[in-house]
């Protein structure tokens, strides 16, 4: 056990998980947990991390300002798979090391996508609200089986999702800037332009990281390409989609439905969007399966010891 190195755990869900706490304390004795459930950002994040040599972070933003104020901090163990909240150039500038493993929550997210798809195809959210209000009418929905599903981003989650969709006999279209041609051929997938994918998919699901190239990847012009019967699913990052344009599409039935687990601002403020009968919102629960939480936590713990100065942006 390391009794000298000071470790800070910013993540509230990690701090609340008895198994992860015990496993971390078996390796490091001097640990500060976020037991007050603080939402850490800016100066409050600097204050919490100050004096610690290693840290486990989740959705906390580690920008140039924060990193410049923490000379003692040497290592970040990343809890979760998204890296858009960490300024990689600042990490390199200040010599900070990153411990991160991609895809550890893939099954948790891909199963949520399946749940979203079936829920919206069968009008489950709307039917549930009607029953609660006293109405009783049958909604005629449709199968997921045999549908054309467009996956934008075929990394860890996109690949895992294809395995689940194949059970339903779905026709799968994929779009990614990376060359995954071997995976495509092995799984009978069609690699297409994003325009072709949007025009021909019954369900479109996003699985790309947020960066300057993907921000608003689905703006009003791209959303206009989708079928009026199509469903849009976003379990990646909120800023990938122009939410104002999406709201108009849903209100005017230019897109049949949408299900989002992530938003540009969390929690979301647009009550008009949230209250639409053809929109389903969840509070960023993509990785919140018990199995995924343990996998992400253990990856973050490992990252405290196995890490590197990031060479990518």
């Amino acid at each position: 056990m390391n009794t000298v190195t000071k470790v800070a755990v910013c993540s509230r869900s990690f701090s609340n998980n008895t198994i992860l706490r015990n496993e971390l304390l078996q390796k490091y004795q001097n640990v500060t947990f976020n037991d007050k459930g603080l939402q850490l950002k800016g100066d409050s994040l600097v204050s919490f991390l100050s004096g610690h040599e290693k840290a486990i972070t989740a959705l906390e933003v580690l920008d140039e300002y924060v990193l410049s104020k923490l000379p003692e901090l040497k290592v970040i163990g990343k809890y979760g798979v998204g890296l858009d909240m960490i300024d990689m150039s600042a990490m390199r500038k200040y010599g900070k090391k990153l411990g991160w493993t991609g895809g550890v929550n893939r099954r948790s997210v891909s199963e949520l996508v399946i749940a979203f798809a079936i829920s919206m195809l069968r009008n489950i959210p709307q039917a549930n609200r009607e029953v609660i209000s006293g109405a009783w009418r049958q909604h005629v929905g449709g199968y997921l089986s045999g549908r054309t599903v467009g996956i934008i981003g075929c990394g860890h989650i996109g690949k895992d999702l294809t395995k689940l969709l194949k059970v339903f006999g779905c026709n799968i279209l994929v779009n990614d800037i990376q060359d995954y041609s071997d995976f495509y051929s092995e799984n009978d997938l069609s690699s297409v332009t994003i325009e072709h994918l949007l025009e021909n998919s019954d369900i479109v699901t996003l699985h790309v990281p947020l960066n300057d190239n993907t921000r608003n990847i689905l703006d009003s012009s791209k959303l206009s390409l989708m079928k009026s019967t199509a469903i849009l699913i976003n379990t990646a990052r909120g800023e990938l989609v122009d939410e104002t344009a999406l709201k108009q599409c849903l209100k005017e039935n230019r897109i049949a439905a949408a299900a989002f687990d992530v938003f540009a601002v969390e929690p979301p403020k647009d009550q008009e969007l949230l209250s639409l009968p053809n929109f389903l919102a969840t509070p960023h629960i993509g990785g919140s399966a018990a199995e995924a939480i343990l996998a992400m936590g253990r990856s973050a713990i490992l990252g405290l010891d196995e890490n590197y100065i990031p060479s990518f942006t």
Side-chain angles (χ1 to χ4, degrees):
M1 177 189 293
N2 188 319
T3 60
V4 179
T5 301
K6 291 184 177 181
V7 177
V9 179
C10 299
S11 167
R12 290 170 285 187
S13 65
F14 188 112
S15 297
N16 289 332
N17 189 290
T18 303
I19 295 173
L20 293 177
R21 286 177 72 105
N22 290 338
E23 291 186 9
L24 177 58
L25 289 170
Q26 287 174 13
K27 301 188 73 172
Y28 292 90
Q29 187 178 51
N30 200 342
V31 180
T32 303
F33 291 98
N34 186 0
D35 289 327
K36 294 182 179 179
L38 302 173
Q39 187 173 2
L40 301 167
K41 58 182 178 180
D43 288 330
S44 66
L45 179 58
V46 170
S47 178
F48 186 83
L49 292 175
S50 182
H52 296 85
E53 297 152 78
K54 298 185 178 184
I56 290 176
T57 68
L59 296 175
E60 294 75 26
V61 176
L62 297 171
D63 56 17
E64 165 108 21
Y65 174 79
V66 169
L67 293 171
S68 70
K69 299 290 185 180
L70 298 168
E72 308 98 330
L73 186 65
K74 304 302 181 185
V75 177
I76 300 294
K78 184 63 175 64
Y79 177 65
V81 298
L83 294 174
D84 52 284
M85 63 291 298
I86 300 178
D87 185 332
M88 294 301 172
S89 61
M91 289 280 284
R92 290 193 295 273
K93 178 179 178 180
Y94 296 107
K96 313 295 188 188
K97 294 183 178 181
L98 175 68
W100 171 79
T101 303
V104 290
N105 69 345
R106 68 189 72 153
R107 182 51 56 94
S108 180
V109 177
S110 57
E111 286 194 6
L112 182 62
V113 173
I114 297 295
F116 274 167
I118 293 174
S119 292
M120 303 315 283
L121 285 167
R122 300 301 297 271
N123 302 301
I124 290 173
Q126 186 176 358
N128 175 253
R129 286 193 292 267
E130 290 180 5
V131 171
I132 292 171
S133 67
W136 187 266
R137 70 183 181 96
Q138 290 188 336
H139 288 259
V140 177
Y143 290 164
L144 172 58
S145 299
R147 299 271 176 178
T148 296
V149 178
I151 301 175
I152 300 176
C154 202
H156 294 292
I157 296 169
K159 290 182 175 69
D160 190 63
L161 180 58
T162 62
K163 299 175 184 177
L164 301 183
L165 290 171
K166 289 173 79 68
V167 176
F168 292 90
C170 292
N171 173 42
I172 303 172
L173 306 178
V174 293
N175 174 266
D176 201 298
I177 61 172
Q178 301 293 331
D179 180 11
Y180 297 123
S181 52
D182 289 344
F183 179 81
Y184 299 156
S185 60
E186 290 168 6
N187 292 275
D188 194 27
L189 307 181
S190 299
S191 177
V192 298
T193 65
I194 193 168
E195 290 79 10
H196 180 94
L197 183 149
L198 293 170
E199 290 170 350
N200 293 277
S201 297
D202 300 308
I203 299 164
V204 174
T205 179
L206 289 159
H207 301 288
V208 294
L210 177 64
N211 54 43
D212 290 340
N213 295 321
T214 61
R215 184 172 281 102
N216 270 348
I217 191 172
L218 295 189
D219 56 14
S220 58
S221 63
K222 289 293 195 299
L223 290 171
S224 69
L225 299 176
M226 294 179 63
K227 297 179 180 181
S228 62
T229 55
I231 296 167
L232 175 62
I233 296 172
N234 188 8
T235 57
R237 284 290 184 266
E239 291 180 84
L240 299 174
V241 181
D242 183 332
E243 292 173 11
T244 301
L246 172 66
K247 179 172 66 175
Q248 288 304 119
C249 288
L250 292 172
K251 287 173 64 176
E252 298 168 9
N253 294 312
R254 288 185 278 123
I255 296 175
F260 276 37
D261 185 47
V262 289
F263 294 86
V265 175
E266 296 181 355
K269 308 297 184 183
D270 191 339
Q271 290 300 319
E272 186 181 17
L273 172 62
L274 297 175
S275 63
L276 291 175
N278 53 349
F279 186 72
L280 174 63
T282 52
H284 208 138
I285 61 172
S288 295
E291 298 89 343
I293 288 171
L294 289 178
M296 291 187 297
R298 287 165 177 158
S299 172
I301 293 171
L302 179 65
L304 296 177
D305 298 323
E306 297 183 10
N307 42 65
Y308 51 91
I309 293 178
S311 60
F312 53 91
T313 57

